[in-house]
Amino acid sequence: MAHEDLKGRSLLTWLDFQAPQIRYLLDLSKTLKAQSRGGELHQRFLGKTLALLFEKRSTRTRCAFETAFGEEGGHPVFLSTADIQLGGKESLEDTARVLGSMFSAIQFRGFKQSTAETLAKFSGVPVYNGLTDDYHPTQALADIMTLEESFGSSKGRKLCYIGDGRNNVARSLLVICSKLGIHFTIICPASLAPDPALVEICAPLAAATQARIHFTEDLDQVKDMDALYTDVWTSMGEEDKKEEREKLLKPYQVNQSLMKRTGRSDTIFLHCLPAVKEEEVSTEVIDGPQSRAWDQAENRKHSIKAIMLATL
Ligand code: CP
Ligand code: NVA
């Protein structure tokens, strides 16, 4: 059974998961959302503790983990780099061992993917990647959940990401779409195309699910897409590249005229947030009727609760 295999597992990248396990988590996310909407109260994390480690800022991810865990009787503890040693005075391995002895699970948001891996290796408890430079897996689950809420299913749907094709969000979408059979196009300048090493890893996964994966600079490729997705032009930690990115990505703004080029009125707009309005997306689109960005933000909480319930 997919869910039995998930007990005790860390979520560092979707590359480590099988499609039926991701499917199980998507279905559980929807069940939990319905329970929450129905006002059901549960205490499924009673007696459990969660360390929330943040090297980078967060609104949604922190609040999703903290409220999802706390409202079910768990005790979340927020720890920024100003509060604890994280490879500072003591080694990361030592911090991981100590946290593992006191917490049921650890969420890490920060720079290096290797930090999340080390925490998982030495803590002995599930570690959830709440965003690194390389991946943002909990985001991708909420994204696919939102796609499915809009269209009833995700397999065979056409998702198009426009913007910085190298970033954590684009990379996680590339992996999850390849695993689930979702056609995935990235429209971006050639210099911001996804890492060829990751593309190579995903190619056989996509072949197995018949997902068509495609990279292009051509904005006409938005034609007939089910969803257009964008993210900030400059990710956290890359602030020195802001001017260069603005120049490169200006033609790639998702605005009403680009939405029209899909040739469809039911194409949805997705954004992981935070958004810089009038840069990667016009205010008209993100605040308009085709936007699902706010559902997507709410879905972070239900899908993160699903990940914790399945693994704890
Ligand atoms: N989408 C997302 O991860 O938002 P935060 O940076 O606010 O957590
Ligand atoms: N790519 C963005 C995502 C924020 C949720 C960043 O890393 O800053």
Side-chain angles (χ1 to χ4, degrees):
M1 292 283 278
H3 62 281
E4 280 158 14
D5 307 341
L6 291 170
K7 290 270 170 273
R9 290 283 300 270
S10 290
L11 170 54
L12 306 179
T13 156
W14 289 118
L15 285 172
D16 304 333
F17 288 76
Q18 306 297 324
Q21 296 172 325
I22 306 175
R23 180 72 262 150
Y24 172 79
L25 290 170
L26 283 166
D27 293 340
L28 182 58
S29 303
K30 292 177 196 167
T31 303
L32 295 175
K33 183 172 183 172
Q35 288 178 352
S36 164
R37 289 288 166 87
E40 283 183 36
L41 295 178
H42 295 276
Q43 292 285 284
R44 290 170 283 204
F45 298 128
L46 197 65
K48 297 197 190 299
T49 49
L50 172 69
L52 295 166
L53 269 45
F54 281 85
E55 290 179 339
K56 291 177 177 172
R57 283 172 184 266
S58 166
T59 300
R60 279 144 289 269
T61 308
R62 174 185 176 178
C63 295
F65 271 103
E66 202 160 327
T67 58
F69 199 69
E71 74 186 14
E72 297 249 6
H75 183 66
V77 178
F78 176 80
L79 299 160
S80 78
T81 39
D83 304 308
I84 60 159
Q85 305 289 351
L86 206 63
K89 196 174 177 182
E90 73 181 352
S91 73
L92 191 56
E93 289 82 347
D94 290 357
T95 303
R97 284 190 188 99
V98 173
L99 293 177
S101 73
M102 298 186 192
F103 289 94
S104 317
I106 298 169
Q107 183 280 167
F108 171 74
R109 165 171 289 203
F111 295 92
K112 293 186 194 152
Q113 181 74 10
S114 62
T115 305
E117 287 163 5
T118 304
L119 286 169
K121 186 168 172 198
F122 289 91
S123 67
V125 296
V127 171
Y128 311 119
N129 176 357
L131 180 149
T132 61
D133 291 345
D134 292 354
Y135 294 108
H136 196 3
T138 64
Q139 178 69 52
L141 193 69
D143 299 342
I144 304 308
M145 176 183 176
T146 311
L147 186 72
E148 293 189 353
E149 283 178 340
S150 298
F151 295 103
S153 64
S154 56
K155 191 167 168 61
R157 293 281 161 198
K158 296 180 291 271
L159 174 62
C160 178
Y161 175 95
I162 301 156
D164 177 8
R166 310 155 23 273
N167 81 12
N168 40 20
V169 168
R171 288 169 55 92
S172 289
L173 288 171
L174 173 58
V175 175
I176 206 164
C177 288
S178 300
K179 293 244 169 184
L180 296 179
I182 301 165
H183 305 308
F184 185 53
T185 299
I186 293 185
I187 306 182
C188 64
S191 59
L192 294 178
D195 176 13
L198 182 65
V199 175
E200 202 176 313
I201 292 169
C202 290
L205 306 175
T209 62
Q210 289 163 357
R212 290 192 303 271
I213 307 292
H214 182 50
F215 313 114
T216 177
E217 292 190 89
D218 178 12
L219 285 161
D220 280 336
Q221 300 297 318
V222 297
K223 179 127 190 66
D224 206 34
M225 287 292 167
D226 291 302
L228 301 192
Y229 191 130
T230 192
D231 182 13
V232 288
W233 290 342
T234 315
S235 287
M236 290 181 277
E238 298 189 316
E239 287 74 12
D240 58 322
K241 300 200 170 66
K242 192 172 178 328
E243 269 181 49
E244 172 192 325
R245 290 286 167 73
E246 282 169 10
K247 271 192 211 128
L248 261 174
L249 287 166
K250 210 172 168 57
Y252 294 84
Q253 185 192 70
V254 180
N255 48 37
Q256 208 51 49
S257 116
L258 191 68
M259 291 298 289
K260 284 212 179 84
R261 280 161 81 176
T262 60
R264 288 173 53 172
S265 55
D266 65 337
T267 299
I268 61 167
F269 170 75
L270 296 171
H271 194 308
C272 56
L273 305 177
V276 185
K277 290 180 179 175
E278 301 306 328
E279 283 200 4
E280 74 274 5
V281 59
S282 69
T283 307
E284 193 185 6
V285 167
I286 195 168
D287 290 344
Q290 286 165 276
S291 175
R292 295 292 176 275
W294 316 108
D295 303 303
Q296 213 180 335
E298 181 195 331
N299 286 341
R300 296 296 308 287
K301 177 171 173 174
H302 306 300
S303 51
I304 279 171
K305 189 185 276 189
I307 293 163
M308 293 193 291
L309 256 184
T311 54
L312 279 178

